[in-house]
Amino acid sequence: MSFRFERHQGTATGPRRGTLHTPHGAMETPAFMPVATRGMMRGILPTQLEELGSRMVLANAFHLYARPGVELVQKLGGVHGMLAWDGPILTDSGGFQVFSLGALGKVHADGVRVEHPVYGGSIDWTPQLAFETQAGLGPDVAMLLDVCPAEPLDQKKCAAAVERTLAWARIQRDLHDARGGAASGQAQFGIVQGGVFADLRERCAQALVDMEFDGYAVGGVSVGEGHEAMMRGVEHSTHVLPVDQVRYLMGVGTPQDLIEGVARGIDIFDCVFPTRAGRFATALTDAGRMHLLNAKFKDDDRPLDPGCPCAGCVSGVPRGALRAGFKAKELLPPILVSLHNLHYVHDLMRRMREAIEAGTFEELRRRVLAAYLPEKLAGDPS
Ligand SMILES: [Zn+2]
């Protein structure tokens, strides 16, 4: 099956229901993708992912290039073999990670000079290398290498990042064409940069649309600009993007950001947040975030989230035992809460899909925002 997005309902700038078809199967949207940065989920078995509601998984091309390397990944069956995952996979080019490694001062016209994260020394991570790496790894969707501005509130820096992002986009788009485009079995998404500035976002989005990518991402968000500014960056982008193509908001995954992204026309998301929060003893519930290290949970004999069917909650390990286990640095509590959080986020996406179909999205949005904005702790008197 080839790559295709089917829009069932919704507009360019409001909540949308769709199906993303890939060579490794379809995914109903809006949807969330869990993150296996180095080709493995932390503490979650590949066989558990589908049970939790995962359909498409994200891995990071830059990290897989660094270790174990493209040749070894190919010997292990490509990125699908390495993850032991037959469903769709998207790889990020590593643009965001490269810049978060502190390489920003080393961006040059042809690429980014960055320290090798495993062996030291330097790598010139270029648009060509990002493209070839992803062509070799074999995900269903490859992301462009873009330039992520470190300061999304600095107009001059954002403008420079947009221009370089577009120059690199052209190079990678031509390489994609030469390889046969999406018919090669791999789709390619452009990434809209431009920080919080409407004119920059619009210019970047329009120039990418003119290059005709297989899908589009909104990048350079969730880098410290705050929720409101992030959502303005989304709004400045989505109205320019083609209504019938898939839109992906990168690196976003708190319940409030997910529902506000969907409200503005985003179809897919990825984020380490649900599993990272789980490792740090924070559970996501309909009543808000639950911080399990809080002393009030020490003799709480209830399951993590009563009524939740996930393996973490069904295990029956009570809140007080999770708290004690976290304090003792046991392995199991981070796994159980990660399982729960991933299930929670996937289930929230399922509820969004159903609410869009039923015409009750705004009602769900109000409920989620009441629990998550401003941050509210589960069990606190309201
Ligand atoms: Zn649960």
Side-chain angles (χ1 to χ4, degrees), residues 284 304-314 336-337 339-341 343-344:
L284 306 174
L304 182 55
D305 192 5
C308 173
C310 86
C313 292
V314 169
L336 295 179
V337 184
L339 284 168
H340 168 77
N341 285 352
H343 174 271
Y344 182 83

Side-chain angles (χ1 to χ4, degrees), residues 59-144:
N60 188 283
F62 175 74
H63 283 290
L64 292 177
Y65 168 86
R67 182 166 57 194
V70 175
E71 244 176 77
L72 274 178
V73 172
Q74 285 176 336
K75 285 185 180 152
L76 304 174
V79 72
H80 288 89
M82 179 151 180
L83 270 78
W85 179 251
D86 282 339
I89 296 176
L90 177 149
T91 52
D92 189 6
S93 66
F96 182 79
Q97 283 75 12
V98 163
F99 292 114
S100 65
L101 290 171
L104 200 64
K106 297 164 199 160
V107 181
H108 49 85
D110 301 327
V112 196
R113 176 153 295 186
V114 63
E115 194 183 331
H116 195 295
V118 183
Y119 304 116
S122 67
I123 303 174
D124 266 321
W125 191 242
T126 62
Q128 290 86 351
L129 186 53
F131 177 86
E132 282 158 23
T133 297
Q134 295 181 91
L137 293 172
D140 300 79
V141 178
M143 299 305 297
L144 291 188

Side-chain angles (χ1 to χ4, degrees), residues 55 71 104 150 154 213 223 227 231 264 283 306 316 374:
R55 291 293 172 269
E71 244 176 77
L104 200 64
D154 182 324
F213 284 94
V223 287
H227 177 82
M231 289 304 153
R264 289 165 174 78

Side-chain angles (χ1 to χ4, degrees), residues 172-331:
Q172 294 166 91
R173 180 71 186 81
D174 290 344
L175 289 169
H176 183 52
D177 249 356
R179 200 170 166 255
S184 67
Q186 186 168 103
Q188 185 185 53
F189 286 9
I191 305 175
V192 181
Q193 289 290 347
V196 299
F197 305 101
D199 54 340
L200 293 179
R201 285 275 176 196
E202 283 161 11
R203 154 150 174 70
C204 193
Q206 190 56 54
L208 292 170
V209 171
D210 292 343
M211 292 184 214
E212 299 186 355
F213 284 94
D214 304 312
Y216 297 89
V218 177
V221 297
S222 202
V223 287
E225 75 276 40
H227 177 82
E228 297 295 327
M230 184 207 299
M231 289 304 153
R232 279 204 304 281
V234 173
E235 285 166 11
H236 298 325
S237 309
T238 46
H239 74 99
V240 183
L241 300 175
V243 66
D244 282 320
Q245 282 185 277
V246 66
R247 295 90 166 284
Y248 160 32
L249 182 56
M250 303 179 79
V252 161
T254 66
Q256 68 270 38
D257 289 347
L258 291 170
I259 202 150
E260 288 301 285
V262 168
R264 289 165 174 78
I266 298 292
D267 302 306
I268 59 176
F269 303 83
D270 83 283
C271 198
V272 295
F273 171 74
T275 43
R276 179 173 287 168
R279 290 200 302 281
F280 287 93
T282 296
L284 306 174
T285 75
D286 275 350
R289 298 183 193 208
M290 179 191 281
H291 295 306
L292 284 156
L293 293 179
N294 194 308
K296 72 185 173 195
F297 294 119
K298 73 177 179 213
D299 58 355
D300 194 330
D301 62 357
R302 288 172 292 176
L304 182 55
D305 192 5
C308 173
C310 86
C313 292
V314 169
S315 71
V317 177
R319 294 171 181 179
L322 288 170
R323 180 175 184 273
F326 270 114
K327 286 191 168 288
K329 305 215 177 327
E330 285 290 339
L331 274 178

